[in-house]
Amino acid sequence: MTQTPTSPTPVHWKLVIDANDPHAQADFWAAALRYEVEDNSALIGKLLGFGALPEEATVELHGRRAFRDLIAVRHPEDPFEEESGTGLGRRLLFQRVPEAKTVKNRLHLDLHPGEGRREEEVARLEGLGASALRRVKEQGGEWVVMADPEGNEFCVQ
């Protein structure tokens, strides 16, 4: 009898983004991507109850407890852990850092709103607090380079 090789389990990942104000960044990117801000209040309540988390490590956000220095957004259709509120799929995690962004991103998001919807999407994102930095038209295509409210670049195809 021969054994069938098994495929390795895919690696679960999240994109972590440094931020001066992780909650404002999470709100911006949740609106930009039409994602949901994760609700970790049940987990936070448990940790506070056990004495495993100091009160000063939390803030009130959207009427519920949140971690002061980090928060994530997730795709609304992806699974999540009920007891922690943590997404198990496509996620962006924003973590507080003391320093401001000073150089070009080494990694960025490209948003693809759909054929013929670039300008409409750029206007929507500007309404959320992003700014258009430049419009690019090259042989390989066209896109708008934008910056989120903390200056992190991203592109709209």
Side-chain angles (χ1 to χ4, degrees):
M1 179 183 263
T2 61
Q3 284 192 337
T4 306
T6 59
S7 298
T9 303
V11 174
H12 177 74
W13 62 273
K14 65 183 165 285
L15 180 61
V16 179
I17 301 171
D18 291 348
N20 293 119
D21 185 345
H23 302 102
Q25 286 293 89
D27 285 344
F28 170 80
W29 282 104
L33 298 173
R34 295 182 174 94
Y35 273 33
E36 294 178 357
V37 175
E38 289 184 353
D39 178 1
N40 303 120
S41 59
L43 172 62
I44 291 168
K46 285 181 186 178
L47 294 172
L48 288 169
F50 294 143
L53 182 70
E55 187 77 30
E56 58 271 9
T58 70
V59 295
E60 188 78 18
L61 181 70
H62 305 303
R64 58 187 187 232
R65 281 272 172 220
F67 292 106
R68 182 189 65 217
D69 295 327
L70 58 93
I71 191 161
V73 300
R74 65 176 176 79
H75 191 286
E77 296 173 1
D78 287 352
F80 64 96
E81 292 178 347
E82 297 270 341
E83 54 279 352
S84 70
T86 301
L88 301 173
R90 295 162 279 189
R91 301 174 69 219
L92 301 177
L93 175 74
F94 300 91
Q95 67 179 4
R96 186 179 312 279
V97 296
E99 66 277 354
K101 179 186 172 302
T102 58
V103 296
K104 183 184 182 302
N105 302 6
R106 295 289 307 256
L107 178 75
H108 69 267
L109 299 177
D110 280 352
L111 307 185
H112 300 267
E115 186 68 33
R117 297 191 51 228
R118 181 184 317 115
E119 294 308 316
E120 172 188 334
E121 188 67 4
V122 166
R124 185 181 79 83
L125 294 165
E126 288 175 324
L128 294 173
S131 53
L133 301 178
R134 66 184 175 281
R135 296 178 182 283
V136 179
K137 189 173 191 174
E138 295 180 351
Q139 189 173 6
E142 294 181 37
W143 61 92
V144 178
V145 178
M146 300 191 75
D148 72 14
E150 288 196 4
N152 299 302
E153 294 93 1
F154 65 98
C155 297
V156 180
Q157 299 289 315

